[in-house]
Amino acid sequence: QNVLGKSSSTVYAIALLASGQSSTITGTYAGQFIMQGFLDLKMRKWLRNLVTRCIAITPSLIVSIIGGSHAAGRLIIIASMILSFELPFALIPLLKFSSTATKMGPHKNSIYIIVISWILGLGIIGINIYYLSTAFVGWIIHNSLPKVGTVLIGIVVFPLMAIYIISVIYLMFRKDKVVTFIEPAKFDNVTQNQMEGGHLSASGRVEMQPVPFREDLADIPLPQ
């Protein structure tokens, strides 16, 4: 509010709406793949979307009804703090996997996207860590607890913060040598037909039984 003035609430509302839409779309895709591909739960699309979104929105709706707008605002702040803790462990692997040839092959991000995405990602992670750290230090200085309690909390929390930062740094510089992208056999028609028919495994060994075709997965919309 000190930076944007009266328009800060409008800007925050737009950002919150965009974040909610992004999370909803991602969650719907993930739920669709898990329910159909892993759990083998077959449901109509509209029913699956309705069930998953109701499950996601019900806790927030209960808090809003019981506690009102003030409780909903505090819930948003608490959820944002929790997400800021978890963000590096989702964002860094995403940036690394989408930018490496061992995972994506020729479909990896271009150098421009890699540079821009890493700058934005590290900037967001740095801002989150800075504000979480300064907020805790400010609470340590200005809280009304006895000094013994404050010291004990500091002894417990500060090492955890150090472990958290070290884990983020390790995740950034950890080398991933596992190759998961397999180049399809473009020029060997026999091998290509065997792979498409499910008779050839990724390692090149001939399988006894073909991989069953999942008709219920054929309608899952994939990113183009």
Side-chain angles (χ1 to χ4, degrees):
Q1 188 173 2
N2 295 333
V3 177
L4 300 176
K6 295 181 179 180
S7 62
S8 60
S9 59
T10 303
V11 174
Y12 182 69
I14 295 174
L16 193 62
L17 179 62
S19 175
Q21 288 296 319
S22 175
S23 300
T24 300
I25 294 171
T26 305
T28 302
Y29 270 118
Q32 186 174 0
F33 276 98
I34 291 173
M35 292 177 69
Q36 286 189 242
F38 299 147
L39 302 180
D40 200 20
L41 298 177
K42 300 178 182 180
M43 301 172 62
R44 294 181 180 272
K45 290 183 179 180
W46 67 269
L47 181 60
R48 180 175 57 243
N49 294 340
L50 180 63
V51 170
T52 55
R53 296 187 185 191
C54 285
I55 293 174
I57 201 175
T58 298
S60 301
L61 188 61
I62 294 174
V63 172
S64 301
I65 293 174
I66 296 176
S69 59
H70 179 70
R74 290 182 60 86
L75 181 62
I76 291 175
I77 295 174
I78 294 173
S80 299
M81 293 181 64
I82 295 174
L83 290 174
S84 66
F85 275 108
E86 300 173 352
L87 179 65
F89 301 100
L91 183 59
I92 293 177
L94 175 64
L95 294 176
K96 293 180 68 174
F97 288 175
S98 61
S99 303
T100 176
T102 59
K103 300 295 184 185
M104 302 298 295
H107 308 292
K108 69 174 185 178
N109 293 333
S110 65
I111 186 63
Y112 302 104
I113 296 179
I114 292 174
V115 172
I116 294 173
S117 59
W118 272 102
I119 291 175
L120 293 176
L122 293 179
I124 294 173
I125 293 173
I127 291 172
N128 285 332
I129 292 177
Y130 170 77
Y131 277 109
L132 288 172
S133 302
T134 54
F136 178 73
V137 172
W139 180 85
I140 286 288
I141 296 174
H142 300 292
N143 74 85
S144 57
L145 294 176
K147 291 185 177 179
V148 176
T150 303
V151 171
L152 291 177
I153 293 175
I155 291 175
V156 173
V157 174
F158 279 115
L160 293 177
M161 292 175 60
I163 293 173
Y164 174 79
I165 295 174
I166 292 173
S167 300
V168 173
I169 296 174
Y170 167 77
L171 191 62
M172 288 175 53
F173 292 99
R174 178 181 180 274
K175 293 184 178 180
D176 185 14
K177 299 180 180 179
V178 179
V179 179
T180 58
F181 177 80
I182 301 174
E183 183 70 27
K186 297 180 180 179
F187 305 104
D188 189 346
N189 294 328
V190 176
T191 305
Q192 183 71 26
N193 292 332
Q194 288 178 335
M195 290 182 65
E196 293 177 356
H199 297 279
L200 194 66
S201 65
S203 60
R205 297 191 301 268
V206 177
E207 301 289 345
M208 296 302 295
Q209 298 293 334
V211 178
F213 177 73
R214 296 288 302 274
E215 294 183 358
D216 58 321
L217 298 182
D219 62 341
I220 293 183
L222 298 176
Q224 299 295 327

